Amino acid sequence: MPDRVLHRPANPHDSAHLHVSGQARYVDDEPQVPGLLHLAFGLSTQAHARLLAIDLSAVHAAPGVVAVYTAADIPGANDVSPIAHDDRLLADGEVIWHGQPLFLVAATSRDAARKAARLGQVTYDPLPPLVTVEDARAANSQVEPTQRMAQGDAATALAGAANRVSGTFSMGGQDHFYLEGQVSLARPGEDGQVHVLCSTQHPSEVQHLVAHVLGVSSADVTVEVRRMGGAFGGKESQAALFAAAAALVTAKTGRPASFRCDRDDDMVITGKRHDFDVGFDVGFDAQGRIEGLALRLSARCGATLDLSPGINDRAMFHSDNTYFLPNVVIVSERLKTHTVSNTAFRGFGGPQGMLAIERVMDGIAAHLGLDPLAVRMANLYGPGRDVTPYGMTVSDNIATELIARLRSDSRYDERAKAIAAFNATSPVLKRGIALTPVKFGISFTAIHLNQAGALVHVYADGSIQLNHGGTEMGQGLYIKIAQVVADVFAVPVAMVRITATRTDKVPNTSATAASSGADLNGMAAQDAALKIRERMVAFLARTHGCAADDVAFTPDGVRVGGELLRFADACRKVWMGRVSLSATGFYATPDIHYDRATHKGHPFYYFAYGAAVAEVVVDTLTGEHKVLAVDILHDVGRSLNPAIDLGQIEGAFVQGQGWLTTEELVFDGKGRLLTHSPATYKIPTASDRPKRLSIALWDGANRQPTIHRSKAVGEPPFMLAISVFSALTRAIAATAPDKRALPPLDAPATPEAILRAIAGHRSA
């Protein structure tokens, strides 16, 4: 079928006019109906302790309080975990992280609930907390056994290498800092049913967990989400906690219940991006080509399993990035601490693995005195050098060509020479430039999640209603899928009414995550729409006495033989002919498989590529820096909507820049999060955006038959920001250019971290 959708002007985000006018409805915009209860958790003040007693008499007596619940009041399972049944809705017997919910307050106002929740008197028997990676390693505390991925013989290659460098560094976590916090609204239905409006990326998982908590079937619970005000992975698994709390109160009281979490509480209660410690030992030749590599990735996973296995697996998968590693061993430690469980975050472990290998590239370049780009180019995948450490052949490699184009378009070599000249005469300000690539695998690594469903109704007046399992969190998924359906019928996208994601319309859906929302749901929606179109074609051909090939859907209408019908007229004819104009669609990603026991297989359907050049300047007296210019060339295949894709690339890059430069999470020795508000946690602002930011789309189609040959865009651009970190490393190295060592810079590169790195480099 023709790709008409690609030749129209880019459609704006379907909710853009609602966003700017303030009319877009979020969960907390729903009218407060009579009897609505507001909720708050009473939180643990210990990171690790036995619970000896909880005195809630003052909570019960507080103004406005209607009910207070503990773990003993849960009718079903006390479990809101995605995998391991180890995340409690309410603590029972012990607490395992500071800020863990202990009890639940329902009151007539949000303020009343929050004030009362602080009145609980809890008696603890404190136990020593494990807070850091070092604490957990010393105690052999793990959420799952250490994993190993290998190719070739790393030990022999390292022993025989002409050059060898080792090092360590750390990278911090990151708070999701979605504009709309965690929020759920539960409403009672008849006969024990519950309807939950929830800001979640995974409505089906919330549905199933709420049902388990209430001790009812999934059919008794409907979860709905029209839009989220951001999520970034933070609402993939952890929205279930708040949804289950609201549903519990509704089931107990028969009244609607709203849980809108306070920002500080949200930051304390919910998980973050996993922070990593990295160690590497690399052997290489005189051109910097890697001969052997031993890489250790040590992640702080937090108190429970959550999604840590998949996240850490993906860190291993992306520890090659665009580079062939003939002899490599990657060891992944998944460490259990008494801190909030870390969870999904844009990139899902990929950024951590990718930053590790880019740090290795910078270390090789520093040792040899080469431009880091030369080292990167020497190690790229290519013919005969195209098998990943997990055994997958890279068959769609465009990295070399893409990097070459960006290198030329950005004038990288010319600028690098100018920066070297500047640094030679500038004692205080030092500049740096770096070009780093991205190769990001697209698919859920949990193979069963690579499926999607959709529901399409065509009405007799020609209007179309669309529903699918994907969720809209601002990324533009809904408009992309609407374009796909409109294209099937050759009608304007305005004819397609997008409806809220609901578990009673499309069941058993996967999370909108892994950058696969458009890939999966687009194909499912197209499948449903094509079924309807095929029925229409068969009916119109039969009733007009022509061949099916003589029926064509065009922007001018439906051409049936020599007659042109308005689409609406064709729909009415088909309906009058008693032909169904409703269909479900389904899609499952083909050709993917993976054996986790051996860490070998073909876990990704394809790769998305990109590259970025970042130029920075560092004030060596204060440690402050500025990102002066960024040039990006990114691969989105044949774009479904270039305007949406450009917005995703820009947003992802700036968010990645925040992770690597300003967003610092600080826990004290007792496991308390100290950076739990906008006053103490610095996300990027408008002034942090590069002074010049140039973004171009690679003009090639996806080699795999994805929806209209497009590629995923949600996560891959996040890792383009690694170019900023590498550029900062080069600027710091310029403070002592005679040193053949990698400056000891940890992420995030805050002013304090930069000053420490300058001092360490000068004294090396």
Side-chain angles (χ1 to χ4, degrees), residues 5 49 69 76 120 122 157 295 321 368 405 576 601 657 704 746 758:
V5 68
Y69 301 104
V122 184
L295 189 65
N321 196 12
L368 295 175
R405 184 185 300 180
M576 293 290 288
Q657 181 185 330
Q704 293 292 354
D746 293 325
I758 291 172

Side-chain angles (χ1 to χ4, degrees), residues 155-165 282-285 289-292:
T156 300
L158 282 167
N163 301 280
R164 192 167 175 176
V165 169
V282 60
F284 46 95
D285 65 17
R289 182 173 287 191
I290 291 176
E291 297 172 339

Side-chain angles (χ1 to χ4, degrees), residues 151 155 253 260 301 400 402 485 508 614 664 680 691 697 710 735 747:
Q151 177 168 257
T253 65
R260 175 166 62 89
C301 298
T400 302
L402 188 150
V485 171
N508 305 319
E664 185 174 26
T680 53
K691 186 175 181 180
L697 300 181
S710 62
T735 62

